[in-house]
mmCIF file of all heavy atoms in Angstrom:
data_model
loop_
_atom_site.group_PDB
_atom_site.id
_atom_site.type_symbol
_atom_site.label_atom_id
_atom_site.label_comp_id
_atom_site.label_asym_id
_atom_site.label_seq_id
_atom_site.Cartn_x
_atom_site.Cartn_y
_atom_site.Cartn_z
ATOM 1 N N VAL A 4 7.443 -210.044 118.404
ATOM 2 C CA VAL A 4 8.768 -209.379 118.457
ATOM 3 C C VAL A 4 9.261 -209.201 117.042
ATOM 4 O O VAL A 4 9.368 -210.144 116.275
ATOM 5 C CB VAL A 4 9.771 -210.238 119.232
ATOM 6 C CG1 VAL A 4 11.132 -209.608 119.271
ATOM 7 C CG2 VAL A 4 9.245 -210.519 120.656
ATOM 8 N N HIS A 5 9.511 -207.973 116.666
ATOM 9 C CA HIS A 5 10.049 -207.642 115.353
ATOM 10 C C HIS A 5 11.473 -207.189 115.462
ATOM 11 O O HIS A 5 11.808 -206.377 116.313
ATOM 12 C CB HIS A 5 9.216 -206.459 114.674
ATOM 13 C CG HIS A 5 7.735 -206.749 114.626
ATOM 14 N ND1 HIS A 5 7.191 -207.685 113.788
ATOM 15 C CD2 HIS A 5 6.702 -206.162 115.282
ATOM 16 C CE1 HIS A 5 5.859 -207.675 113.946
ATOM 17 N NE2 HIS A 5 5.565 -206.764 114.846
ATOM 18 N N GLN A 6 12.327 -207.719 114.637
ATOM 19 C CA GLN A 6 13.770 -207.388 114.604
ATOM 20 C C GLN A 6 14.094 -206.906 113.174
ATOM 21 O O GLN A 6 13.717 -207.575 112.223
ATOM 22 C CB GLN A 6 14.626 -208.590 114.961
ATOM 23 C CG GLN A 6 16.149 -208.427 114.706
ATOM 24 C CD GLN A 6 16.805 -207.446 115.710
ATOM 25 O OE1 GLN A 6 16.693 -207.656 116.867
ATOM 26 N NE2 GLN A 6 17.415 -206.420 115.149
ATOM 27 N N GLU A 7 14.779 -205.805 113.116
ATOM 28 C CA GLU A 7 15.207 -205.326 111.793
ATOM 29 C C GLU A 7 16.614 -205.839 111.508
ATOM 30 O O GLU A 7 17.481 -205.913 112.423
ATOM 31 C CB GLU A 7 15.230 -203.810 111.715
ATOM 32 C CG GLU A 7 15.364 -203.290 110.340
ATOM 33 C CD GLU A 7 14.836 -201.900 110.165
ATOM 34 O OE1 GLU A 7 13.774 -201.566 110.734
ATOM 35 O OE2 GLU A 7 15.534 -201.123 109.484
ATOM 36 N N TYR A 8 16.862 -206.331 110.327
ATOM 37 C CA TYR A 8 18.136 -206.863 109.884
ATOM 38 C C TYR A 8 18.626 -206.098 108.657
ATOM 39 O O TYR A 8 17.837 -205.573 107.852
ATOM 40 C CB TYR A 8 17.977 -208.337 109.493
ATOM 41 C CG TYR A 8 17.629 -209.227 110.598
ATOM 42 C CD1 TYR A 8 16.283 -209.479 110.939
ATOM 43 C CD2 TYR A 8 18.590 -209.881 111.365
ATOM 44 C CE1 TYR A 8 15.932 -210.346 111.970
ATOM 45 C CE2 TYR A 8 18.254 -210.710 112.387
ATOM 46 C CZ TYR A 8 16.894 -210.952 112.727
ATOM 47 O OH TYR A 8 16.522 -211.776 113.753
ATOM 48 N N SER A 9 19.969 -206.061 108.486
ATOM 49 C CA SER A 9 20.568 -205.551 107.269
ATOM 50 C C SER A 9 21.274 -206.602 106.546
ATOM 51 O O SER A 9 21.634 -207.665 107.108
ATOM 52 C CB SER A 9 21.509 -204.369 107.650
ATOM 53 O OG SER A 9 22.611 -204.845 108.406
ATOM 54 N N PHE A 10 21.524 -206.416 105.272
ATOM 55 C CA PHE A 10 22.220 -207.373 104.432
ATOM 56 C C PHE A 10 22.826 -206.658 103.248
ATOM 57 O O PHE A 10 22.338 -205.594 102.870
ATOM 58 C CB PHE A 10 21.319 -208.543 103.961
ATOM 59 C CG PHE A 10 20.120 -208.087 103.166
ATOM 60 C CD1 PHE A 10 20.199 -208.048 101.781
ATOM 61 C CD2 PHE A 10 18.941 -207.680 103.775
ATOM 62 C CE1 PHE A 10 19.122 -207.626 101.038
ATOM 63 C CE2 PHE A 10 17.841 -207.287 103.050
ATOM 64 C CZ PHE A 10 17.915 -207.256 101.721
ATOM 65 N N HIS A 11 23.908 -207.199 102.732
ATOM 66 C CA HIS A 11 24.519 -206.617 101.578
ATOM 67 C C HIS A 11 23.684 -206.861 100.335
ATOM 68 O O HIS A 11 23.233 -208.017 100.125
ATOM 69 C CB HIS A 11 25.939 -207.177 101.354
ATOM 70 C CG HIS A 11 26.890 -206.738 102.434
ATOM 71 N ND1 HIS A 11 27.493 -205.487 102.411
ATOM 72 C CD2 HIS A 11 27.316 -207.313 103.583
ATOM 73 C CE1 HIS A 11 28.210 -205.336 103.491
ATOM 74 N NE2 HIS A 11 28.143 -206.450 104.230
ATOM 75 N N LEU A 12 23.410 -205.818 99.512
ATOM 76 C CA LEU A 12 22.644 -205.967 98.356
ATOM 77 C C LEU A 12 23.470 -206.711 97.263
ATOM 78 O O LEU A 12 24.708 -206.466 97.175
ATOM 79 C CB LEU A 12 22.227 -204.612 97.851
ATOM 80 C CG LEU A 12 21.314 -203.802 98.791
ATOM 81 C CD1 LEU A 12 21.148 -202.367 98.395
ATOM 82 C CD2 LEU A 12 19.943 -204.533 98.846
ATOM 83 N N PRO A 13 22.845 -207.499 96.457
ATOM 84 C CA PRO A 13 23.596 -208.172 95.402
ATOM 85 C C PRO A 13 24.079 -207.140 94.349
ATOM 86 O O PRO A 13 23.392 -206.128 94.159
ATOM 87 C CB PRO A 13 22.574 -209.153 94.799
ATOM 88 C CG PRO A 13 21.247 -208.599 95.170
ATOM 89 C CD PRO A 13 21.426 -207.843 96.468
ATOM 90 N N ASP A 14 25.181 -207.407 93.754
ATOM 91 C CA ASP A 14 25.708 -206.571 92.716
ATOM 92 C C ASP A 14 24.833 -206.752 91.491
ATOM 93 O O ASP A 14 24.656 -207.864 90.973
ATOM 94 C CB ASP A 14 27.156 -206.974 92.404
ATOM 95 C CG ASP A 14 27.866 -206.005 91.466
ATOM 96 O OD1 ASP A 14 27.140 -205.172 90.850
ATOM 97 O OD2 ASP A 14 29.084 -206.101 91.374
ATOM 98 N N PRO A 15 24.234 -205.656 91.006
ATOM 99 C CA PRO A 15 23.333 -205.785 89.863
ATOM 100 C C PRO A 15 24.032 -206.083 88.556
ATOM 101 O O PRO A 15 23.436 -206.494 87.565
ATOM 102 C CB PRO A 15 22.634 -204.431 89.769
ATOM 103 C CG PRO A 15 23.591 -203.497 90.423
ATOM 104 C CD PRO A 15 24.294 -204.294 91.474
ATOM 105 N N ARG A 16 25.348 -205.937 88.550
ATOM 106 C CA ARG A 16 26.122 -206.222 87.316
ATOM 107 C C ARG A 16 26.559 -207.663 87.350
ATOM 108 O O ARG A 16 27.098 -208.146 88.326
ATOM 109 C CB ARG A 16 27.336 -205.285 87.263
ATOM 110 C CG ARG A 16 26.995 -203.826 87.244
ATOM 111 C CD ARG A 16 28.188 -203.049 87.550
ATOM 112 N NE ARG A 16 28.653 -203.418 88.867
ATOM 113 C CZ ARG A 16 29.683 -202.896 89.521
ATOM 114 N NH1 ARG A 16 30.343 -201.947 89.000
ATOM 115 N NH2 ARG A 16 29.980 -203.298 90.720
ATOM 116 N N PRO A 17 26.454 -208.373 86.246
ATOM 117 C CA PRO A 17 26.908 -209.752 86.206
ATOM 118 C C PRO A 17 28.446 -209.761 86.265
ATOM 119 O O PRO A 17 29.100 -208.804 85.799
ATOM 120 C CB PRO A 17 26.403 -210.296 84.922
ATOM 121 C CG PRO A 17 26.099 -209.117 84.093
ATOM 122 C CD PRO A 17 25.770 -207.959 85.010
ATOM 123 N N ALA A 18 28.972 -210.807 86.847
ATOM 124 C CA ALA A 18 30.420 -210.958 86.915
ATOM 125 C C ALA A 18 30.992 -211.097 85.508
ATOM 126 O O ALA A 18 30.376 -211.782 84.661
ATOM 127 C CB ALA A 18 30.802 -212.183 87.745
ATOM 128 N N PRO A 19 32.112 -210.463 85.201
ATOM 129 C CA PRO A 19 32.725 -210.602 83.856
ATOM 130 C C PRO A 19 33.137 -212.032 83.641
ATOM 131 O O PRO A 19 33.574 -212.738 84.528
ATOM 132 C CB PRO A 19 33.936 -209.640 83.911
ATOM 133 C CG PRO A 19 34.214 -209.397 85.367
ATOM 134 C CD PRO A 19 32.925 -209.650 86.121
ATOM 135 N N MET A 20 32.958 -212.481 82.421
ATOM 136 C CA MET A 20 33.236 -213.849 82.027
ATOM 137 C C MET A 20 34.260 -213.825 80.902
ATOM 138 O O MET A 20 34.159 -213.027 79.995
ATOM 139 C CB MET A 20 31.993 -214.625 81.596
ATOM 140 C CG MET A 20 31.066 -214.904 82.685
ATOM 141 S SD MET A 20 29.557 -215.746 82.177
ATOM 142 C CE MET A 20 30.242 -217.198 81.350
ATOM 143 N N GLU A 21 35.110 -214.704 80.930
ATOM 144 C CA GLU A 21 36.099 -214.917 79.844
ATOM 145 C C GLU A 21 35.447 -215.883 78.841
ATOM 146 O O GLU A 21 34.658 -216.747 79.246
ATOM 147 C CB GLU A 21 37.439 -215.536 80.360
ATOM 148 C CG GLU A 21 38.179 -214.583 81.288
ATOM 149 C CD GLU A 21 38.712 -213.342 80.664
ATOM 150 O OE1 GLU A 21 39.068 -213.378 79.477
ATOM 151 O OE2 GLU A 21 38.734 -212.281 81.305
ATOM 152 N N ALA A 22 35.854 -215.784 77.617
ATOM 153 C CA ALA A 22 35.303 -216.651 76.567
ATOM 154 C C ALA A 22 35.651 -218.114 76.960
ATOM 155 O O ALA A 22 36.735 -218.400 77.378
ATOM 156 C CB ALA A 22 35.890 -216.304 75.231
ATOM 157 N N GLY A 23 34.631 -218.957 76.867
ATOM 158 C CA GLY A 23 34.829 -220.379 77.101
ATOM 159 C C GLY A 23 34.741 -220.808 78.544
ATOM 160 O O GLY A 23 34.907 -221.941 78.894
ATOM 161 N N GLU A 24 34.467 -219.872 79.477
ATOM 162 C CA GLU A 24 34.425 -220.222 80.908
ATOM 163 C C GLU A 24 33.140 -221.076 81.250
ATOM 164 O O GLU A 24 33.153 -221.789 82.199
ATOM 165 C CB GLU A 24 34.397 -218.951 81.803
ATOM 166 C CG GLU A 24 35.759 -218.407 82.033
ATOM 167 C CD GLU A 24 35.686 -217.264 83.062
ATOM 168 O OE1 GLU A 24 34.708 -217.135 83.808
ATOM 169 O OE2 GLU A 24 36.622 -216.487 83.051
ATOM 170 N N GLY A 25 32.109 -220.869 80.488
ATOM 171 C CA GLY A 25 30.876 -221.576 80.801
ATOM 172 C C GLY A 25 30.099 -220.885 81.860
ATOM 173 O O GLY A 25 30.215 -219.667 82.083
ATOM 174 N N LEU A 26 29.328 -221.625 82.587
ATOM 175 C CA LEU A 26 28.440 -221.060 83.647
ATOM 176 C C LEU A 26 29.232 -220.689 84.891
ATOM 177 O O LEU A 26 30.022 -221.487 85.406
ATOM 178 C CB LEU A 26 27.386 -222.125 83.948
ATOM 179 C CG LEU A 26 26.212 -221.669 84.837
ATOM 180 C CD1 LEU A 26 25.421 -220.557 84.128
ATOM 181 C CD2 LEU A 26 25.256 -222.842 85.053
ATOM 182 N N VAL A 27 28.990 -219.509 85.433
ATOM 183 C CA VAL A 27 29.611 -219.076 86.677
ATOM 184 C C VAL A 27 28.555 -218.940 87.728
ATOM 185 O O VAL A 27 27.671 -218.088 87.631
ATOM 186 C CB VAL A 27 30.356 -217.720 86.468
ATOM 187 C CG1 VAL A 27 30.953 -217.242 87.789
ATOM 188 C CG2 VAL A 27 31.430 -217.854 85.414
ATOM 189 N N PRO A 28 28.547 -219.785 88.768
ATOM 190 C CA PRO A 28 27.504 -219.666 89.802
ATOM 191 C C PRO A 28 27.726 -218.458 90.656
ATOM 192 O O PRO A 28 28.844 -218.039 90.939
ATOM 193 C CB PRO A 28 27.702 -220.939 90.674
ATOM 194 C CG PRO A 28 29.107 -221.396 90.402
ATOM 195 C CD PRO A 28 29.487 -220.862 89.034
ATOM 196 N N ARG A 29 26.607 -217.836 91.095
ATOM 197 C CA ARG A 29 26.633 -216.664 91.985
ATOM 198 C C ARG A 29 25.745 -216.957 93.125
ATOM 199 O O ARG A 29 24.614 -217.472 92.964
ATOM 200 C CB ARG A 29 26.156 -215.429 91.294
ATOM 201 C CG ARG A 29 27.119 -214.941 90.210
ATOM 202 C CD ARG A 29 26.602 -213.718 89.551
ATOM 203 N NE ARG A 29 26.523 -212.591 90.557
ATOM 204 C CZ ARG A 29 26.051 -211.421 90.233
ATOM 205 N NH1 ARG A 29 25.607 -211.143 89.035
ATOM 206 N NH2 ARG A 29 25.972 -210.465 91.164
ATOM 207 N N GLY A 30 26.168 -216.658 94.330
ATOM 208 C CA GLY A 30 25.349 -216.879 95.523
ATOM 209 C C GLY A 30 24.163 -215.899 95.484
ATOM 210 O O GLY A 30 24.307 -214.768 95.055
ATOM 211 N N THR A 31 23.046 -216.343 95.964
ATOM 212 C CA THR A 31 21.856 -215.475 95.991
ATOM 213 C C THR A 31 21.300 -215.327 97.377
ATOM 214 O O THR A 31 20.276 -214.677 97.573
ATOM 215 C CB THR A 31 20.746 -216.043 95.077
ATOM 216 O OG1 THR A 31 20.413 -217.364 95.520
ATOM 217 C CG2 THR A 31 21.208 -216.107 93.627
ATOM 218 N N GLY A 32 21.889 -215.989 98.369
ATOM 219 C CA GLY A 32 21.357 -215.878 99.715
ATOM 220 C C GLY A 32 21.731 -214.570 100.412
ATOM 221 O O GLY A 32 22.563 -213.793 99.928
#
């Protein structure tokens, strides 16, 4: 049994960061 699924593609642009924010985690699932 084969089922086709759809999902939102990740944004290829990194999230903007303010100076001094450090590491910003992004979901990858």
